[in-house]
Amino acid sequence: MKASAELPAGATLRLKSGDVFYGNLRPAAGLDARRPTVVTSWGEGPKPVISATKNLRNDPSAWEDLSHCFWRIDLSNPSNSTGLVSTDCNPGFLLVDGAVKPWRRYCRSDLVSPWDFCGTNGWLYVHADENPAKLAKDIRVALHVHCVQFGSFTVISNIAVRATGAHGMHGGWGCDLTHVRIADCEFENIGGSELPGFEKEWGFRVRFGNGIELGGDAEDVIVERCSFRGVYDVCFTMQGYPKKGWRNVQCRDCTMTDCSQAFEVWCQKAPKGAGFANCSFTGNRTLRVGGGWGEMVRPCRKAATPLLVYNMETDSVDIDVSGNVFEEAPHGLVHCNAYDGKKPSLPDGYRIHDNVCKKVGPGKEKTR
């Protein structure tokens, strides 16, 4: 089924449990706190899924043999796939019989190992010892499509976002965001596409993809009881160039497994007083965060940690990180960057306390 592109302000959308919806869902902001826009499920069975994959036709004739283990398939040809309808050719990863193949390259000459891939001009190129349709029964291409884009006065509950090359859910860029609740949702295999426009600015290509992202200015947001697995970047993040900042934002009682990072904050060019106020990351459990398929292909693995703090250009920080369990984090608990020549350090007001850490970094168990 195709995901509806638009949902009117204050409406309720109920997705049928057990069904899969392909595309980008953009519910309009609710009318006010008493009349929110609601996205949820109905019926019995597994949570309804929103996905951004093209599911390739299991037909060897759809693939073109370019010789020397190079194969290609035309993603722009609708007869070659089901699922997502999109002209995008910015793949984040392949799902091959349910297994993530994350080894994206940027030109055909770099495809040297089985299931290395790249996408350009509507074509997907794959390195394989024989026709990919003979090697696997089910091949899916996760593409650069944000599955859910939300606005203010929105409640999202009991849905699953699975397999996209971009963000699972995001909001707040370019507008104020207030009164949002995301509860009891699942996020699995998120990210890996190229972030457009950054090659010219930074001089190298950047892959990205977060579970839930709050950009710009956000107030009164709760994320709770959600699960995250296989996220290329971070499960939950507050980031951007604020005018007001983030206030009363809580991420609590979530589970995060085999993701690159759990909780990220960054803030640049903030005016005086704009930053983070009464924000928290509490009661969450992370397992092997700093690992997973995203960490395998990251250019900087040392930044794969449960907590990520950088570019904090603000005079206002009030963030509480407590009551969490961090388990099996191979690269340590926190990664900080400093760009002013000083030693990286946490800003005043970013408080880490009363957490349980098991096998973090060198493998020590401690409470902090």
Side-chain angles (χ1 to χ4, degrees):
M1 297 185 182
K2 304 298 184 294
S4 173
E6 303 289 348
L7 183 65
T12 295
L13 174 65
R14 299 183 185 277
L15 302 178
K16 184 180 179 182
S17 296
D19 282 357
V20 180
F21 302 84
Y22 293 94
N24 168 240
L25 190 64
R26 300 187 298 274
L31 299 171
D32 53 42
R34 294 184 177 181
R35 295 172 294 175
T37 299
V38 176
V39 180
T40 188
S41 64
W42 70 273
E44 298 181 356
K47 290 179 174 64
V49 172
I50 299 177
S51 184
T53 63
K54 286 196 173 185
N55 309 329
L56 303 185
R57 184 161 55 100
N58 187 24
D59 183 352
S61 68
W63 290 87
E64 182 180 350
D65 185 357
L66 302 179
S67 75
H68 304 294
C69 299
F70 293 117
W71 301 83
R72 74 175 185 176
I73 188 170
D74 186 1
L75 293 184
S76 66
N77 184 345
S79 68
N80 284 339
S81 64
T82 60
L84 182 69
V85 177
S86 172
T87 59
D88 180 80
C89 195
N90 180 358
F93 57 88
L94 306 181
L95 270 179
V96 179
D97 289 336
V100 174
K101 306 297 182 182
W103 298 101
R104 174 180 175 147
R105 312 302 184 186
Y106 293 101
C107 60
R108 200 185 86 178
S109 60
D110 291 333
L111 306 183
V112 296
S113 299
W115 299 111
D116 282 1
F117 66 93
C118 67
T120 182
N121 297 324
W123 292 90
L124 175 73
Y125 295 85
V126 173
H127 185 286
D129 293 334
E130 62 176 301
N131 190 303
K134 294 182 178 180
L135 292 175
K137 294 181 179 179
D138 185 68
I139 302 175
R140 305 184 179 214
V141 188
L143 293 170
H144 177 245
V145 175
H146 305 307
C147 284
V148 182
Q149 295 173 257
F150 55 83
S152 294
F153 307 115
T154 299
V155 176
I156 305 172
S157 67
N158 208 49
I159 66 170
V161 177
R162 292 204 174 97
T164 177
H167 297 319
M169 299 183 187
H170 82 121
W173 287 100
C175 64
D176 290 353
L177 188 70
T178 185
H179 287 86
V180 174
R181 181 171 182 257
I182 301 172
D184 303 301
C185 292
E186 298 175 4
F187 300 82
E188 184 176 11
N189 294 331
I190 307 294
S193 289
E194 181 181 6
L195 189 58
F198 274 73
E199 183 182 8
K200 291 183 179 180
E201 180 178 349
W202 290 7
F204 58 90
R205 283 171 148 150
V206 178
R207 296 172 74 177
F208 81 117
N210 300 316
I212 301 174
E213 178 178 292
L214 300 183
D217 302 291
E219 183 176 14
D220 296 328
V221 177
I222 296 175
V223 175
E224 60 184 348
R225 299 188 305 275
C226 294
S227 67
F228 302 82
R229 181 182 295 272
V231 178
Y232 175 81
D233 266 338
V234 61
C235 299
F236 176 68
T237 176
M238 295 180 279
Q239 59 174 256
Y241 309 88
K243 296 179 180 179
K244 299 177 182 177
W246 298 262
R247 287 170 170 75
N248 304 325
V249 178
Q250 325 297 331
C251 179
R252 62 198 187 199
D253 303 325
C254 296
T255 60
M256 303 165 178
T257 306
D258 294 323
C259 302
S260 293
Q261 298 141 351
F263 177 50
E264 172 195 45
V265 291
W266 66 262
C267 172
Q268 287 185 272
K269 301 179 181 179
K272 186 175 181 179
F276 303 87
N278 190 34
C279 296
S280 66
F281 183 82
T282 59
N284 302 289
R285 184 181 184 107
T286 76
L287 177 62
R288 296 186 298 276
V289 168
W293 65 263
E295 185 267 352
M296 290 170 50
V297 295
R298 297 184 69 83
C300 179
R301 292 189 176 187
K302 68 180 181 180
T305 57
L307 306 177
L308 182 63
V309 185
Y310 66 105
N311 287 11
M312 294 292 278
E313 299 174 1
T314 174
D315 62 359
S316 176
V317 178
D318 174 17
I319 300 173
D320 184 74
V321 179
S322 64
N324 305 288
V325 176
F326 301 106
E327 188 169 0
E328 296 184 38
H331 303 291
L333 180 62
V334 187
H335 181 76
C336 302
N337 275 357
Y339 295 92
D340 55 4
K342 297 180 180 179
K343 184 178 179 180
S345 62
L346 290 173
D348 293 339
Y350 189 104
R351 305 177 304 279
I352 304 176
H353 63 98
D354 298 313
N355 301 287
V356 175
C357 300
K358 302 179 180 180
K359 298 182 181 178
V360 172
K364 296 180 180 179
E365 297 191 14
K366 59 184 179 179
T367 299
R368 178 175 180 177

